[in-house]
Amino acid sequence: MRYEGSVYRPPSEAYSLIVQITVGCSHNGCTFCNMYKEKKFHIHTLDEVLEDLAEARSMYNYIDRIFLADGDALIYKTEDLISILDYIKEYIPECRRVSSYATPRSLLLKTQEELDLIRKHGLAFLYLGLESGCDEILKARNKGATSAEIVNAGQKAKKAGYDLSVTILSGLGGKELMEKHALDTAKAISEMKPDYIGEMTLNIIPGTKLYEERAAGSFVMPEPVEILEETKLMIKNIDDEGAVFRSNHISNYVNIRGTFNEGREDMIRQIDDAIKQNSFKVRHYTNM
């Protein structure tokens, strides 16, 4: 099977068959992200994708899950994406879930009818990066969308019946905007109501624009305890009944697990215990 460049996928897709239908990220301009920088965004043809799926079918007797890569598979032409999904349904019938990343732009470009149709043909799970609900932060980090646009994109996905996982990035506002980052992000999550919330902690990576900003002193990273307090404030203000919250990425100082809204107090206790016992660790990693 063909694959160009480094592989990036959500942690929960560790055992999925990864099929690259687009290469790179159609936006690829976020100042904190170093993913896909070695790739120029382009789209594999439908014939190429079907060839890859046919090869995978010949190699594996059982394929439980399929992740359509890279960073924005949903930008794929609707009728061609449906052809891919129909091929999976016919030739890999044991596949229980097909998932992909989705950018706000790709969700907003699709009509509601298109999203409904794609969902009916088998794309069931989408990963959407919110990062922050604060427009000041999103603009400074060149996210390419406002909070309202991202919320609208997520709501369209939910309306079409997708399981939606939304990523947030603690520390993204620096010391200056910690409270606003927490409160605005909680508000956006509460409006979007995703099924899953995944928290990561900002790691400032050499080669990114944010790394240069920190070196110049225009961005100051919060201390670990401040990050935990920021997370606690966010958790206190999220209203998303039934949403699963996970803060178990290698970047995080404390692994936090819970389900809103009933698990809110337990998640807050997990943070308070870590702060009281000084049991958190600063972790280092190289990629988002």
Side-chain angles (χ1 to χ4, degrees):
M1 293 178 62
R2 77 197 79 226
Y3 198 96
E4 300 179 36
S6 301
V7 176
Y8 298 102
R9 47 90 182 149
S12 57
E13 302 294 339
Y15 300 103
S16 299
L17 173 70
I18 299 177
V19 180
Q20 191 180 45
I21 71 171
T22 65
V23 178
C25 172
S26 60
H27 174 59
N28 207 19
C30 297
T31 64
F32 54 86
C33 182
N34 72 332
M35 293 167 57
Y36 307 119
K37 297 306 179 186
E38 83 281 14
K39 305 180 185 184
K40 182 178 180 180
F41 180 78
H42 61 280
I43 298 173
H44 283 312
T45 68
L46 177 59
D47 286 344
E48 288 173 332
V49 175
L50 296 183
E51 286 174 7
D52 286 343
L53 285 168
E55 183 177 352
R57 175 74 291 174
S58 69
M59 294 170 61
Y60 304 110
N61 293 325
Y62 184 79
I63 300 173
D64 184 47
R65 293 184 178 188
I66 294 175
F67 179 72
L68 302 178
D70 268 332
D72 190 13
L74 203 61
I75 204 75
Y76 214 81
K77 191 175 180 181
T78 296
E79 51 262 46
D80 289 346
L81 184 53
I82 288 173
S83 294
I84 292 168
L85 296 168
D86 287 347
Y87 185 97
I88 292 171
K89 187 176 295 185
E90 181 174 358
Y91 294 102
I92 313 176
E94 74 277 12
C95 181
R96 295 188 301 112
R97 190 178 87 178
V98 183
S99 57
S100 77
Y101 285 128
T103 64
R105 178 172 173 263
S106 66
L107 281 166
L108 294 174
L109 283 173
K110 299 288 189 194
T111 67
Q112 190 66 56
E113 290 73 22
E114 285 178 298
L115 291 174
D116 293 346
L117 191 59
I118 293 167
R119 174 65 189 92
K120 288 177 182 177
H121 282 261
L123 183 61
F125 199 108
L126 297 177
Y127 298 89
L128 174 65
L130 170 63
E131 327 307 354
S132 176
C134 173
D135 281 336
E136 184 178 350
I137 295 171
L138 293 173
K139 183 177 180 180
R141 307 294 166 254
N142 196 32
K143 175 66 178 177
T146 65
S147 177
E149 288 171 335
I150 301 172
V151 168
N152 184 18
Q155 289 173 338
K156 285 180 69 175
K158 288 289 294 176
K159 184 177 180 181
Y162 294 90
D163 287 330
L164 181 65
S165 178
V166 170
T167 303
I168 55 180
L169 195 53
S170 291
L172 192 60
K175 280 182 177 283
E176 181 182 0
L177 294 171
M178 287 188 298
E179 182 176 353
K180 190 162 180 57
H181 178 43
L183 293 176
D184 288 358
T185 301
K187 181 175 182 290
I189 290 289
S190 300
E191 292 175 353
M192 204 182 322
K193 298 198 181 304
D195 304 279
Y196 300 88
I197 306 164
E199 182 194 42
M200 298 195 304
T201 299
L202 175 67
N203 189 56
I204 303 177
I205 303 169
T208 62
K209 186 177 179 181
L210 190 57
Y211 184 88
E212 297 173 1
E213 291 176 13
R214 185 182 67 173
S218 58
F219 180 89
V220 180
M221 182 71 184
E223 297 298 323
V225 170
E226 293 175 314
I227 291 285
L228 294 176
E229 291 290 353
E230 177 187 88
T231 298
K232 183 166 71 170
L233 180 60
M234 180 186 63
I235 288 173
K236 284 182 177 180
N237 286 276
I238 287 176
D239 177 18
D240 189 6
E241 188 67 44
V244 174
F245 182 90
R246 292 290 184 267
S247 180
N248 56 0
H249 188 262
I250 193 173
S251 64
N252 296 324
Y253 301 125
V254 177
N255 289 343
I256 305 164
R257 303 168 64 90
T259 302
F260 285 101
N261 290 333
E262 64 180 23
R264 185 194 319 278
E265 294 306 317
D266 181 62
M267 288 187 279
I268 291 172
R269 179 193 56 75
Q270 293 174 48
I271 297 172
D272 286 339
D273 287 349
I275 293 173
K276 183 178 179 180
Q277 298 167 15
N278 196 31
S279 60
F280 53 87
K281 296 180 180 180
V282 179
R283 300 172 181 178
H284 299 279
Y285 64 108
T286 57
N287 291 314
M288 298 300 295

